[in-house]
Structures are given as C-alpha cells and as structure tokens.
Amino acid sequence: MPPVSRTPVTLIRSLIFIAVAIVSLRSGAFGAQSYDWWWVFYEHETTKRFVSDTVRPFFLRNTYGDRVFEASLMPIVYWKYKTPRTTEWKSLFGLVDSVDHRHRSGLHDYDFAFFPFLYWGHSSDQKENYFMFWPFGRRVYNKLGQDRIDTVLFPGFALFFLYPPTWPVSWTTLGILVLSFIPLYVDYENRQYQAWGILWPLIQRGANPKRDDVRVLPFYAHSYKKDRYDAYNVLLLFNYTKVYLRDDVQKTLFVLPFYGRRWNESDKVNSSTLLWPFFSWGYDRGSGAFEVNFPWPLVQYHDSLSPFVKKRIFFPFYGLYEREHQRTRFITPLYISLQKFNRRLESEYNFYALIFWHFKRDYKLASSPVYGKSWRYWKLWPLFQYEYDDRGNVAFNMLSILPFRDPDGYERLYQPFWTLFEYRRLADGEKRLGLLLRLYYQRWGDDFLYIKVPFLISYGRAHGRITELSVLLSMFAYINDERGRYVRLFWIPVGLGGAAIAVDGAADTPTLGATAWAPGGGFDDDIVFHRGVEGFDALSRDRANLYGYRHAVF
C-alpha cells in the first residue's frame, strides 16, 4: 500500500491535538501570577490585570475584566473586541465587519457588512432593519454619514462581462471598479435634509428648510445653506464660493488649476495660487499665520501663532512640523522623529533608515500602569527588539520580524514562531528564557524554577522541593503540588500520600510582553497597529480600516 501523505491540514490538526493534550496534563501552575506554556503552541498567563490564553496560531484571547479581545489567524480569519454592551468582529483584512450593540435604553442593533457586496442590519426597532446587496442595491441605515440611503442598481458592474478583470490589475479593471460603485439611482436623508441622485454623484437634487443643492456634472452645480455658504461651479473649472463667518464674509474664486484667490471682506485673510497645488501663498492676520508653498510639496513654509504651527519642509532633505504639543521631523527618508509633549507626558519615536527604531516615554505626573514612569524601546528590524522600564521590567527578542509593534495582538499570536532567543525579567524578580523557538524554555525566581523541553522533559522546583519531574509527555512523572504527591506510570496517576506543597509564588505584577506592556490603558499616542485595550474605545468608529489596525504610522 502506498504511503499516506500528511497534508498541512492534517499536520496542523495533529499539533493542536498535542497542545490540547499537554494542557490537559499540565500540573498546577505555580504562583499567584499563574503562567504555563507548551513549546510555541500553548501559553497561559493570569495576573490581576488580565488573563491571556493562546493556542498558536489558531486562537488568542485576552480578558481584561469585563472586556475581551479574541483573534484567530488574523487578519484572515477574525479578530474580535467585546465589551459589556458591544461585540465587534472583523475578518478578511477588515472587509467583513460585524457589530452587535445594545443601547443603554435596551434597544438592540446588529450590523453585518461584507464590503462591497452585502450590508444587513437588524434592530429591536423594526424601522431600523435594512438589507443591501451589491450590485442590485436597496437600503442601509447610518452609513457614510447619512441616516438612510436607498440605492437601485450599480450598472457599471456589467462592464466586467465585456472586459473581465485582469491580474495584475490593469487601468481598465480599476476604472470599471470605480464605475461599479456609481448607483443608477440613489435616495438618502440626514435629519431634515433629503436628496436624490441619478448616476450619483453626477446628478443630484437635495434640500431642507435651510439648504438647497443642485448638481448636473460636469455642467453646473450650486450649493446653498442659509447663513453658512453659497457655492457655484461651472464646467468643473470655474468655482465661486461665499462663506458667511460670524463677523466677516470669505470669498473664493478658483479657475482650476490655473489661478485661485481667497480673501475676506475685512482683508484679514488673503491667499492666492497659480497652477494649483504647486504654487500658493497667503496670510491670516486673525491667527497670525503666513504660508508659502513654492513649489508644493518640495518647499513648504508655514507659521501661525494661534494655533501654534511651525512648518519648514525642503523635501526630501529636511522637514520640521510643529503644532501645539507635537513635533515631527525628518532628515532625508533615513531619519524620522515623532514627539509629543504636554504636562503629563513626553514621548519620542525615532526611526533610522526605517529599520532601526528608538522609542521613549517619560511621565511627569502619575505613573502609567502600562509603561511606569519611564520606558525605552529599541528595535533593529528584523534582528531584535529590546525594551525596559523604571520598574525593573526588561524584555529582549531575537528575531523581530513584524514591521510594527503590537505586543498584545500580532506579537503574542505569532512572534514565538520565529524567536531564536528571548529573555524577560519582571518587576517582581521573575525571569524567563527561551531558545530556538522555545525548544528550551525556563522561568525562575529566588525560590522556584521551571524548565520544559517539548516532548522530552518538564522540571519544576519550589521552596527547595521538586514539584514536577516528567519525561516523554508525562508518560513517567513525579508531581508534588497543591493537589498532593503522586506519580504517573504510562500516564496513569498513582497517589503517594503526604501533605501537598504550599505554593505562593511570584507577586502579581505587570509583565513584559503581556497586556501590562500592551499599548492600552487609554494612552492614545503609541505607535502600534493593534491597540489592545485601547481598541475597545473605538468600537463605534473607524469602520473603514482594512486590517483592524487602529493607530498606525505607516
């Protein structure tokens, strides 16, 4: 009989089964801060601030009290945020999005979207139910800044039957894709404003008691809102706008792209442009601002007193942009610096040649539960990353392949698969060391030591007594923990009697590489792709991000 081939799926199933078996056989975790692991595939950690369970790469769950983050093979399969009243999960790079929300009033809403094909919503209020299937259309609620949108057919999609999509994507395919999002007919409303359109945005008519809009592109458009603005457009080239300010009127004349001028009747503001957007200049006496772009984006000069702005850009050689409590600098693309400073925090993120990073954060008032009073981070991509804080936490990893920092999500789920060497020291004195994808891993402190070599041996000692010695996946083992003393012979437990050992392990302190060091806790200026606990505060917004990354640099 020919040998049976082991497909990747079969291999993955086998690894999961082994990991689950090890979890079921593991001895009682040592210490009030429990920590257990098996190779790179399983990890469990519990502290006062969080509980984390990981079965790599298929499942990750971080629990912070009544808030939960889950993920599986993200960004492909799914990642999920859960709070007491809202559950949101995303899949397929964010193209699939589901939000289940219960309002304080008790009203229940559920929204599901598979961009661009399907939008479906269900609510306790039957008036809020909706369904839309692209390219046929129908109704959606609370999308694109509108209360309601009704669409009928997206005829551009039919062009794909005449000109099938190509890969790599051609300009023809991109053009047809854009046309596929133009509805034959649309009707929408936002509060009192109601509008309809044919082949929107080419033809549109909308109005409410204070607003009136008409658009027939490319020939003519007029938008008016009482005491706010009055704008005209002819042939897309000639534009004239009046904006009614509190004590002034601002006017704009624009002949695209040759000439444009904006001025106030009080002469407090005056600016002009030639061959927009390349050449422009102007001033604003009210804010003390002066700006010159000559030519944009290569040379940009801008000063303002209120708000404070200072911009000096001579691309690609040098750039400086300051605004209130933030500063951005670059010296050629090889050096980029982002700074934030206020009465609470000073932070600085430096990137050298894009592959070497140096981050630091210093807190002037209260200590951060995530970073302490002072935190430093270095990364030489893809070789290593190193960080420490003033509380004694230290972490080092080699390799560091991910081109972003995300200790609570992507790093926790995937990083052990390529880590050749890792070391952690916690604030309470506990240390952890791993070699060659955790083929050897140990954690130790003043009065305990745990060592594991996958499949071969597990050893534990606490308070001068052996708590575990097992070989060959616990086929033969000696256990002495809070449950008592016993041995395993061919996995069959045999009790030995005697008093159980008291284990009162390491202090419950924030730990490097876990949620205590994850970018959460409300600090909104960390440069990461997944924002951990902080992401929970963004459940009702940021629907357009494709990867679930809530705050990104690149």
Side-chain angles (χ1 to χ4, degrees):
M1 183 176 67
V4 178
S5 63
R6 296 184 64 83
T7 65
V9 174
T10 303
L11 179 60
I12 291 173
R13 289 176 178 172
S14 301
L15 292 174
I16 293 177
F17 174 78
I18 293 172
V20 173
I22 294 299
V23 171
S24 65
L25 293 174
R26 68 183 176 90
S27 63
F30 172 76
Q33 173 181 284
S34 67
Y35 181 81
D36 200 5
W37 76 98
W38 187 79
W39 203 353
V40 295
F41 299 104
Y42 170 77
E43 189 170 5
H44 165 82
E45 184 162 18
T46 299
T47 72
K48 290 179 180 179
R49 298 186 64 243
F50 73 97
V51 177
S52 180
D53 290 284
T54 310
V55 179
R56 298 184 178 93
F58 304 102
F59 182 74
L60 164 68
R61 178 192 287 134
N62 297 328
T63 304
Y64 320 85
D66 58 359
R67 301 184 173 195
V68 179
F69 171 74
E70 287 185 7
S72 175
L73 290 171
M74 64 177 179
I76 303 296
V77 178
Y78 85 94
W79 63 96
K80 178 170 70 174
Y81 300 89
K82 185 176 181 180
T83 69
R85 293 193 294 114
T86 302
T87 299
E88 178 179 11
W89 63 265
K90 292 176 176 287
S91 181
L92 294 177
F93 301 94
L95 297 178
V96 178
D97 184 19
S98 168
V99 181
D100 192 326
H101 180 69
R102 186 172 298 278
H103 299 269
R104 296 185 184 277
S105 63
L107 186 67
H108 178 254
D109 284 330
Y110 177 77
D111 297 272
F112 175 86
F114 181 12
F115 179 85
F117 306 103
L118 175 65
Y119 298 87
W120 178 70
H122 177 75
S123 174
S124 302
D125 183 355
Q126 297 298 318
K127 296 179 181 179
E128 296 293 319
N129 293 343
Y130 66 86
F131 174 83
M132 189 185 82
F133 184 70
W134 180 84
F136 302 102
R138 277 197 67 182
R139 172 173 294 185
V140 296
Y141 286 108
N142 302 314
K143 302 294 182 183
L144 301 177
Q146 308 300 321
D147 294 337
R148 174 191 58 81
I149 302 176
D150 285 316
T151 56
V152 178
L153 292 179
F154 293 81
F157 178 79
L159 292 174
F160 279 125
F161 293 99
L162 298 176
Y163 306 95
T166 60
W167 186 262
V169 177
S170 66
W171 288 108
T172 300
T173 298
L174 286 175
I176 295 175
L177 184 62
V178 172
L179 293 176
S180 297
F181 290 100
I182 295 179
L184 177 63
Y185 176 83
V186 63
D187 181 285
Y188 60 94
E189 64 180 39
N190 185 14
R191 299 181 180 177
Q192 293 182 303
Y193 182 78
Q194 295 187 347
W196 59 267
I198 298 174
L199 295 177
W200 188 95
L202 301 181
I203 300 175
Q204 176 188 308
R205 184 74 173 93
N208 68 12
K210 293 186 177 181
R211 181 178 172 185
D212 188 39
D213 299 321
V214 60
R215 181 167 61 228
V216 183
L217 297 181
F219 306 106
Y220 175 80
H222 177 221
S223 296
Y224 170 79
K225 188 172 183 179
K226 185 179 180 181
D227 299 327
R228 297 292 299 276
Y229 58 80
D230 190 4
Y232 293 86
N233 177 283
V234 178
L235 298 176
L236 297 178
L237 301 177
F238 305 96
N239 301 267
Y240 178 74
T241 302
K242 293 173 65 175
V243 177
Y244 300 96
L245 306 176
R246 179 178 300 176
D247 55 359
D248 206 347
V249 177
Q250 185 176 93
K251 300 179 181 180
T252 302
L253 176 65
F254 197 8
V255 182
L256 188 72
F258 306 105
Y259 173 76
R261 184 181 174 225
R262 174 173 294 164
W263 71 98
N264 283 23
E265 291 183 349
S266 63
D267 200 32
K268 292 181 179 179
V269 174
N270 204 324
S271 62
S272 301
T273 180
L274 290 174
L275 298 177
W276 179 88
F278 301 109
F279 304 96
S280 62
W281 58 94
Y283 63 83
D284 182 344
R285 291 193 176 97
S287 61
F290 176 76
E291 182 172 5
V292 174
N293 299 293
F294 208 88
W296 180 92
L298 303 181
V299 177
Q300 303 176 54
Y301 180 96
H302 182 195
D303 277 335
S304 175
L305 297 178
S306 181
F308 173 76
V309 175
K310 180 179 180 180
K311 179 164 66 173
R312 307 285 189 273
I313 294 179
F314 304 93
F315 187 83
F317 307 107
Y318 173 80
L320 170 67
Y321 181 78
E322 296 185 35
R323 183 179 180 91
E324 297 294 338
H325 304 294
Q326 300 183 56
R327 178 187 297 123
T328 301
R329 291 185 298 165
F330 72 85
I331 300 176
T332 76
L334 301 181
Y335 171 72
I336 301 172
S337 175
L338 309 174
Q339 295 176 274
K340 181 174 182 178
F341 37 87
N342 53 44
R343 69 181 189 87
R344 180 180 66 86
L345 166 69
E346 287 187 4
S347 67
E348 184 173 348
Y349 293 76
N350 298 305
F351 302 86
Y352 303 86
L354 297 181
I355 63 171
F356 180 67
W357 307 356
H358 175 217
F359 300 165
K360 62 180 181 179
R361 301 168 69 91
D362 293 297
Y363 291 84
K364 304 175 183 179
L365 302 178
S367 176
S368 162
V370 178
Y371 301 100
K373 290 282 288 187
S374 178
W375 172 78
R376 299 294 183 268
Y377 176 90
W378 288 267
K379 180 186 183 88
L380 178 60
W381 182 87
L383 298 181
F384 71 86
Q385 65 185 56
Y386 168 66
E387 60 182 307
Y388 70 87
D389 69 13
D390 64 303
R391 299 170 296 187
N393 292 298
V394 177
F396 178 88
N397 279 78
M398 176 190 292
L399 303 164
S400 181
I401 292 178
L402 292 173
F404 50 83
R405 180 172 182 268
D406 180 17
D408 198 33
Y410 283 86
E411 290 182 22
R412 178 172 283 269
L413 189 58
Y414 297 122
Q415 185 154 281
F417 286 116
W418 53 74
T419 298
L420 302 180
F421 174 82
E422 59 183 299
Y423 172 77
R424 278 165 170 70
R425 186 183 71 208
L426 312 185
D428 63 353
E430 177 181 334
K431 303 176 183 67
R432 299 173 187 172
L433 173 70
L435 301 174
L436 299 176
L437 283 67
R438 298 191 177 180
L439 286 174
Y440 176 89
Y441 196 90
Q442 72 173 54
R443 60 186 291 254
W444 73 100
D446 293 337
D447 57 356
F448 70 93
L449 169 67
Y450 278 92
I451 299 173
K452 290 186 181 181
V453 178
F455 300 106
L456 298 181
I457 187 170
S458 294
Y459 172 80
R461 186 186 75 240
H463 304 298
R465 300 175 60 180
I466 294 177
T467 60
E468 176 185 5
L469 177 60
S470 66
V471 296
L472 301 177
L473 291 175
S474 294
M475 179 184 292
F476 305 100
Y478 168 77
I479 306 296
N480 183 9
D481 61 14
E482 66 272 12
R483 294 172 292 184
R485 297 170 56 241
Y486 58 95
V487 297
R488 286 193 181 117
L489 301 175
F490 293 98
W491 295 291
I492 300 174
V494 179
L496 298 179
I501 186 173
V503 288
D504 58 349
D508 211 350
T509 56
T511 63
L512 266 168
T515 304
W517 277 61
F523 301 98
D524 59 3
D525 61 337
D526 200 5
I527 300 177
V528 297
F529 274 57
H530 169 270
R531 293 177 66 187
V533 179
E534 186 181 349
F536 293 113
D537 299 326
L539 286 174
S540 61
R541 61 181 187 272
D542 196 23
R543 295 287 181 264
N545 80 86
L546 292 182
Y547 295 89
Y549 309 144
R550 306 234 177 230
H551 194 148
V553 175
F554 308 113

